[in-house]
Amino acid sequence: MASDQDETRLAGLMRAALNGDETAYAAFLRAAATLVRASTARRVRGHAAISVEDIVQETLLAIHLKRDTWRSTEPILPWLFTIARYKAIDAFRRRGMRIELPVEDFAESLAAPETGASFEDTQHIEHAVGSLSGGQQTVVRAIALEGRTIAETANALHMKETAVRVAFHRGLSTLAQKFGRQT
Amino acid sequence: MKTDDLIARLAVDPRPARLSPGSALILAVTASALLAALLMLTTIGPRPDIAAAAMTWRFDFKFVVTVTLALSAFALVRNALYPEGLRGPVLWLALAAPAVLLGGVAIELLSLPTATWAMAAIGKNARLCLSIVPALGIVPLALILWGVRQGAPTRPALTGFFAGLLAGGIAATFYAANCTDDSPLFVLTWYPLSILALGLVGALAGKVALKW
């Protein structure tokens, strides 16, 4: 099982993140990615058609967009496991496969040690970004794929920073919905 | 794209200023109740003898059942807003309204002569009950589904079903003030049919509308 230490650390990071601490939030997402990757890798073994990293990225995006559904009075790991499981099942279903993922299983597999290998670079998000509408695509491409800051993007596109932030956020939401809807 | 890059980008995407999922649901339920009340009062209205009816246990008991349903379904839907919320003991709440109703039915069976059971169960307003409850409940169901969408339900069909029960509980509460059939036997025979119809619509709609 994932440890009490994980619980305390992740809950602390997320609490800071929800108060606007970007560094804590990045640390939270990295830790979440590690946990989700370990569990997903074990599940996906033998299903060559599924990329573990695709599922990890879809899960991170879901966690990001639904982070206000974590109640800070509740433990964070069950929240995280349930989202990861939901997204893994969704990923399998979209590829025409069924998978049974008991919740308990998911929690246990999270104890799997990280392999430390470098992770594949996927084209999954690039494909999805390509299907966004014009304005959202430009902004999401600049920030998410090319790594420009909000300020740079605003300058380059002659937009206000707030408008860029809104377009980026909407673009991410649309991306997540596309993952959810593809059949 | 590398996962580390994705993380770096997500970390700078600020939290949007929007309604918390819990507030969105309360807003949706409040609007639902107001809408159902308005629809009821402007169309069918309460029964003319409502003051006298309120003195009888059978009339009042209808509200005990429908309000129990609305409250328990609200608690279930509220839990469904959170990914890990709709699991474990909270699911027993689904049995609250049926249990209360069956208790009332037992009392009714003991107090009515056997020969009148069928008449009490069939009543005079079955068709109205079957049409008015879904009619009062369908827009509330849509509102409640919108509210739940602001959260992260991980069991879309079950959540949609409970949303249907909540809409049904609200609709049945207002319909009960109009209906002149008060026997728990009538309530047992017809109310669940129209409420479960809303539950079924909710489950089917939820499978599509509650995905994220």
Side-chain angles (χ1 to χ4, degrees), chain A residues 53 64 66 87 122 143-144, chain B residues 1 3 9 13 82 151 212:
Chain A
E53 216 51 26
H64 175 68
K66 294 294 186 181
K87 281 290 151 183
T122 83
I143 298 171
Chain B
M1 162 172 226
T3 301
R9 311 298 177 256
D13 177 38
Y82 308 102
W212 51 276

Side-chain angles (χ1 to χ4, degrees), chain A residues 37-46 52 105-106 108-110 112:
Chain A
R37 186 177 297 117
S39 64
T40 310
R42 218 186 68 176
R43 301 281 136 210
V44 164
R45 200 169 294 150
V52 174
D105 248 43
F106 227 86
E108 271 162 29
S109 65
L110 292 178

Side-chain angles (χ1 to χ4, degrees), chain B residues 6-100:
Chain B
L6 176 69
I7 288 171
R9 311 298 177 256
L10 293 181
V12 299
D13 177 38
R15 213 176 162 196
R18 62 179 187 126
L19 226 50
S20 77
S23 312
L25 182 63
I26 287 172
L27 185 69
V29 172
T30 309
S32 295
L34 290 175
L35 184 79
L38 196 71
L39 261 178
M40 197 283 272
L41 291 173
T42 54
T43 54
I44 52 178
R47 54 195 271 184
D49 63 340
I50 188 160
M55 308 300 283
T56 67
W57 77 269
R58 289 188 178 87
F59 180 78
D60 296 339
F61 182 71
K62 294 194 293 186
F63 297 96
V64 174
V65 175
T66 58
V67 171
T68 302
L69 176 69
L71 290 178
S72 54
F74 175 73
L76 286 162
V77 172
R78 203 185 141 73
N79 270 278
L81 290 174
Y82 308 102
E84 79 286 20
L86 209 52
R87 261 197 280 136
V90 70
L91 291 171
W92 288 101
L93 278 176
L95 298 180
V100 169

Side-chain angles (χ1 to χ4, degrees), chain A residues 9 41 56 63 74 118 125 129 142 157 163 173:
Chain A
R9 192 170 74 92
V56 171
I63 287 171
E74 298 287 321
S118 70
I125 298 229
V129 171
L157 300 175
S173 304

Side-chain angles (χ1 to χ4, degrees), chain B residues 177-197:
Chain B
N178 166 271
C179 180
T180 51
D181 281 305
D182 296 338
S183 170
L185 296 178
F186 179 87
V187 176
L188 177 70
T189 311
W190 304 109
Y191 278 54
L193 274 180
S194 44
I195 292 166
L196 286 173

Side-chain angles (χ1 to χ4, degrees), chain A residues 129-172:
Chain A
V129 171
S131 63
L132 290 177
S133 69
Q136 285 181 359
Q137 184 178 151
T138 317
V139 170
V140 173
R141 191 173 290 284
I143 298 171
L145 301 185
E146 291 160 18
R148 302 196 190 286
T149 64
I150 302 267
E152 285 168 7
T153 310
N155 254 325
L157 300 175
H158 306 290
M159 289 168 73
K160 285 193 173 157
E161 284 198 23
T162 46
V164 171
R165 282 179 198 279
V166 169
F168 182 48
H169 188 81
R170 294 221 173 114
L172 291 178

Side-chain angles (χ1 to χ4, degrees), chain A residues 68-79:
Chain A
D68 56 357
T69 64
W70 176 55
R71 295 161 288 180
S72 56
T73 51
E74 298 287 321
I76 198 161
L77 288 177
W79 175 81

Side-chain angles (χ1 to χ4, degrees), chain B residues 124-146:
Chain B
K124 302 191 193 77
N125 297 294
R127 211 169 286 167
L128 285 176
C129 176
L130 290 181
S131 51
I132 292 175
V133 171
L136 287 179
I138 194 75
V139 178
L141 174 57
L143 289 169
I144 293 161
L145 287 174
W146 168 84

